[in-house]
Amino acid sequence: MAEAVLGGSAEDVSIKEAGLRYEVDGEIATITLDRPEKRNAQTFATWSALARIGDDLPEQVRIVVVQGEGPSFSAGIDLRMFTPEGVPGQGSFSSVAQLDNVSFEQRIEQAQQGFLWLRRPEIVSIAAVHGHAIGAGFQLALACDLRIVADDVKFCMKEPALGLVPDLTGTKPLVDLVGTAKAIDICLTARFVDAQEAFRIGLAERVVSGAELTQAVRDKAAELLSTNRDAATATKRLLQGARGRTLEEQTAAERVEQAARIKALFAVS
Ligand code: CAA
């Protein structure tokens, strides 16, 4: 296993400085939010580091686990962003608010890159969520393909209570998982969703005790790794596209993927 150090531009910081740990063990990569004393609060540096992990993900990796150290998965954005002083080296919302709209949206787009890669067809991402998953923490869990949760989990989309919208890629997966009405209820009340409700409404695939969480995620990873890699990638691509296609388009997409699979399996070029 190796801890990677991020390279890149002058404002880049190491994974550790960004509040993360990152380990690759064969086909499984594990990203740990690692600022437990601040309940794994996230900053622009966290999102930039996540994006660079995605960019540099070794080709052999098929499973990405995202988890949190300490009592919470993540308490969301670092609240220092709301103070005039902001986060050292990263500014504050009052400084970012001075940017013109195009630059402002580019800044958000950069942050979103830390989340979007977790949906790549070549990998399956699993959020192992315990304790609080608030705001950006909830959205990071939503950015993953699967959520396995501990029975103490508390999801909360806090942004509307703070005068903001959820903008870290979370609105679409939330609506896809629970439907528009339930998403409105969850977001516009900024209420907590506990483990039983999360399971019932389809936010969580499985609820286990905190002590069982790591093993439950390992077991799911092993199950996912038991299928053919290329078939898994092609199938995920099909499933991801299904909602946006008609039945006719989807069955055509199935034919294209299957033709490629059969040719690959039987070595016909
Ligand atoms: N940012 C910075 N520091 C945070 C933090 C955050 N989001 N959440 C917790 N901390 C810090 C606390 O200030 C405290 O630090 P000190 O020990 O130095 O005082 C430490 O973490 C422990 O916090 P608590 O004592 O509050 O821990 P708790 O276990 O009793 O409560 C909690 C945990 C319910 C998550 C609570 O800390 C909390 O409500 N945090 C704030 C949650 C929040 O409002 N987040 C913003 C979400 S919106 C968002 O994320 C917007 C976006 O994407 C744009």
Side-chain angles (χ1 to χ4, degrees):
M1 294 198 204
E3 198 217 324
V5 174
L6 300 167
S9 71
E11 64 176 18
D12 291 345
V13 295
S14 74
I15 286 181
K16 195 167 182 224
E17 286 166 329
L20 299 175
R21 283 201 325 268
Y22 171 50
E23 289 162 349
V24 175
D25 185 6
E27 295 175 298
I28 304 179
T30 303
I31 300 169
T32 307
L33 299 160
D34 193 20
R35 218 154 60 100
E37 71 288 355
K38 296 293 177 195
R39 302 299 181 263
N40 300 325
Q42 303 173 33
T43 65
F44 279 99
T46 315
W47 304 325
S48 158
L50 282 171
R52 280 174 284 147
I53 289 173
D55 288 345
D56 297 341
L57 198 71
E59 217 187 320
Q60 84 268 11
V61 170
R62 292 183 61 188
I63 305 290
V64 176
V65 177
V66 182
Q67 62 186 14
E69 189 66 57
S72 301
F73 177 75
S74 171
I77 196 165
D78 192 315
L79 292 173
R80 286 177 300 172
M81 282 299 290
F82 293 89
T83 65
E85 303 75 35
V87 177
Q90 298 181 54
S92 67
F93 279 132
S94 51
S95 57
V96 180
Q98 310 302 318
L99 296 171
D100 62 79
N101 280 1
V102 172
S103 309
F104 199 122
E105 285 171 31
Q106 280 171 348
R107 192 86 200 267
I108 298 174
E109 192 178 5
Q110 280 169 4
Q112 290 170 334
Q113 298 312 310
F115 296 67
L116 285 173
W117 66 271
L118 289 160
R119 294 251 176 230
R120 266 184 218 155
E122 297 78 18
I123 59 168
V124 177
S125 49
I126 307 174
V129 194
H130 72 287
H132 290 97
I134 302 179
F138 190 4
Q139 294 194 70
L140 184 56
L142 284 166
C144 293
D145 295 307
L146 307 177
R147 281 146 297 282
I148 297 180
V149 306
D151 52 14
D152 69 343
V153 82
K154 287 190 181 68
F155 291 107
C156 170
M157 203 64 93
K158 186 78 175 283
E159 286 82 344
L162 299 172
L164 301 171
V165 300
D167 66 341
L168 295 169
T169 79
T171 55
K172 183 167 171 54
L174 183 63
V175 168
D176 285 348
L177 287 166
V178 306
T180 307
K182 185 58 76 181
I184 288 173
D185 167 28
I186 291 170
C187 295
L188 274 62
T189 60
R191 68 180 176 81
F192 284 106
V193 176
D194 67 16
Q196 293 318 318
E197 182 181 4
F199 181 68
R200 185 164 45 79
I201 66 178
L203 257 183
E205 275 63 44
R206 194 169 166 209
V207 181
V208 296
S209 71
E212 292 169 319
L213 186 58
T214 304
Q215 191 57 48
V217 171
R218 273 196 203 125
D219 292 346
K220 182 55 67 185
E223 278 181 67
L224 289 161
L225 289 173
S226 70
T227 54
N228 175 284
R229 177 185 187 132
D230 295 332
T233 300
T235 304
K236 183 173 169 187
R237 210 164 30 226
L238 272 176
L239 296 173
Q240 285 182 312
R243 273 184 202 273
R245 298 193 192 107
T246 63
L247 181 59
E248 201 175 44
E249 290 164 344
Q250 183 69 4
T251 47
E254 289 174 359
R255 293 193 292 272
V256 171
E257 293 286 8
Q258 192 70 311
R261 288 280 65 241
I262 302 241
K263 287 190 180 192
L265 284 174
F266 296 96
V268 178
S269 56

